[in-house]
């Protein structure tokens, strides 16, 4: 009789543990559309989810394959940027139930195709707070805000140093507007306003003039850069600083913003 009681007790414990394991393994499968959004989710949920797009691919010009559609349909929650920024997803997401999708900063105004709002700490902070509520995961903004304040202070002194030298920086294309607006930065000029538009002759002439007047400390170049074009306009003495707009090489969202900040801090330094 004692053996039977022990056996039943062990079986009950085994079943209980199995149930807990099943609950854990049944955690919500989240599918972020981009690598940047996977970093946002990681900040809140503490887990890494493989994004729909490869890390080095822009969400503006991506074409879905049947395998991508299947992933979207199987996911319990799709986190994306919305139809304005990711038009390639718009039609498919119309057939995904509303409760199975989450748009970062839904309803935020002034977001247009070609923008990179994930470079904005303000945009990211709002998205982090919204996602925390949606996933019912506690997340404190204290560390985030403190870190952004530290970055802001460092950029303030560097910006003033460049101004004293009557210098500034160029960007290859207008891709970090959100970052610049948050930190009070303004680039001298850009080769192109959008990553899918070629530079105009007047724009190139204006950039060359700025360089000849020694007003250019560096140029921030991204994955869309055309090196031959840049080299034809700017002398080798003008520093080329690589930036990772898509966060392809970042492992955390704070690290991503810090890398952008460090790129600008290196501008004008030997």
């Amino acid at each position: 009789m004692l053996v039977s009681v022990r056996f039943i007790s062990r079986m009950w414990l085994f079943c209980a543990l199995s149930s807990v394991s099943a609950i854990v393994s049944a955690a919500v499968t989240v599918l972020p559309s981009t690598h940047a959004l996977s970093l946002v989710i990681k900040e809140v949920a503490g887990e890494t989810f493989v994004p729909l797009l490869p890390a080095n691919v822009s969400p503006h010009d991506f074409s879905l394959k049947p395998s991508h559609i299947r992933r979207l349909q199987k996911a319990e929650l799709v986190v994306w940027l919305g139809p304005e920024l990711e038009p390639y997803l718009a039609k498919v997401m119309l057939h995904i139930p509303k409760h199975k999708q989450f748009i970062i900063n839904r309803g935020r105004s002034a977001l247009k195709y070609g923008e990179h709002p994930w470079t904005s700490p303000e945009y990211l902070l709002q998205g982090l707070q919204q996602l925390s509520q949606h996933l019912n995961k506690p997340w404190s903004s204290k560390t985030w805000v403190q870190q952004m304040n530290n970055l802001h202070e460092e950029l303030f002194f560097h910006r003033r140093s460049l101004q004293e030298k009557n210098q500034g920086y160029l960007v290859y294309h207008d891709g970090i507007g959100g970052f610049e607006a948050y930190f009070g930065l303004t680039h001298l000029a850009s080769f192109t306003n959008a990553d899918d538009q070629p530079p105009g002759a007047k724009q190139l002439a204006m950039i060359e003039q700025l360089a000849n007047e020694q007003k250019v400390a560096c140029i921030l170049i991204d994955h869309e850069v055309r090196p031959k074009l840049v080299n034809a306009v700017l002398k080798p003495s003008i520093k080329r600083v690589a930036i990772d707009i898509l966060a392809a090489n970042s492992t955390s969202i704070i690290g991503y913003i810090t890398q952008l900040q460090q790129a600008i801090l290196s501008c004008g330094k030997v």
Side-chain angles (χ1 to χ4, degrees):
M1 182 67 180
L2 181 60
V3 174
S4 299
V5 171
R6 288 179 178 174
F7 176 77
I8 293 173
S9 298
R10 289 174 181 173
M11 287 299 296
W12 181 88
L13 180 60
F14 174 79
C15 292
L17 291 174
S18 298
S19 298
V20 171
S21 176
I23 292 172
V24 172
S25 64
V28 175
T29 302
V30 181
L31 176 60
S33 62
T34 69
H35 181 63
L37 288 184
S38 73
L39 298 181
V40 172
I41 297 169
K42 180 182 177 182
E43 175 73 18
V44 173
E47 297 182 67
T48 301
F49 295 94
V50 179
L52 184 70
L53 275 64
N56 60 347
V57 173
S58 171
H60 301 320
D61 49 11
F62 187 72
S63 297
L64 287 176
K65 297 179 181 178
S67 59
H68 298 129
I69 297 176
R70 287 194 292 270
R71 287 190 66 193
L72 290 165
Q73 293 171 337
K74 290 180 179 180
E76 294 178 72
L77 180 67
V78 178
V79 179
W80 62 306
L81 297 165
E84 294 82 9
L85 298 176
E86 295 186 283
Y88 72 98
L89 277 178
K91 290 184 179 179
V92 177
M93 296 308 292
L94 288 176
H95 302 286
I96 302 293
K98 294 295 183 182
H99 70 276
K100 297 183 69 174
Q101 56 177 292
F102 179 81
I103 297 177
I104 292 289
N105 285 343
R106 180 194 291 271
R108 183 184 171 103
S109 60
L111 288 181
K112 301 176 182 178
Y113 174 78
E115 290 189 59
H116 302 76
W118 58 88
T119 67
S120 166
E122 178 187 7
Y123 177 88
L124 291 171
L125 176 59
Q126 293 175 357
L128 288 162
Q129 292 171 331
Q130 294 170 4
L131 189 62
S132 172
Q133 294 177 352
H134 189 80
L135 295 178
N136 195 26
K137 294 273 189 178
W139 180 79
S140 173
S141 62
K142 184 178 180 180
T143 301
W144 174 271
V145 173
Q146 182 61 54
Q147 185 68 29
M148 293 306 112
N149 287 341
N150 293 340
L151 300 182
H152 199 292
E153 184 176 356
E154 292 175 349
L155 281 172
F156 172 80
F157 288 109
H158 185 64
R159 182 178 73 242
R160 191 166 65 179
S161 175
L162 288 177
Q163 289 173 342
E164 290 173 354
K165 299 175 184 177
N166 194 26
Q167 287 189 322
Y169 64 94
L170 302 171
V171 295
Y172 182 75
H173 92 274
D174 266 332
I176 58 170
F179 180 91
E180 291 175 307
Y182 182 86
F183 288 111
L185 301 168
T186 304
H187 57 264
L188 292 173
S190 62
F191 275 68
T192 176
N193 292 328
D195 49 13
D196 56 356
Q197 294 178 0
K202 290 184 178 180
Q203 188 74 357
L204 293 178
M206 185 263 287
I207 290 173
E208 188 173 21
Q209 182 178 348
L210 288 171
N212 291 336
E213 294 173 354
Q214 298 184 339
K215 293 182 177 179
V216 180
C218 77
I219 176 173
L220 305 181
I221 56 176
D222 54 67
H223 64 290
E224 298 286 351
V225 69
R226 298 181 184 180
K228 291 183 179 180
L229 181 61
V230 172
N231 294 337
V233 179
L234 301 178
K235 297 177 181 180
S237 57
I238 294 178
K239 192 174 184 179
R240 275 72 163 161
V241 180
I243 57 173
D244 181 21
I245 288 183
L246 300 178
N249 300 310
S250 298
T251 57
S252 73
I253 199 64
I254 286 182
Y256 167 60
I257 295 298
T258 302
Q259 286 178 10
L260 290 178
Q261 183 247 22
Q262 290 295 314
I264 294 181
L265 287 181
S266 72
C267 185
K269 295 183 178 179
V270 179

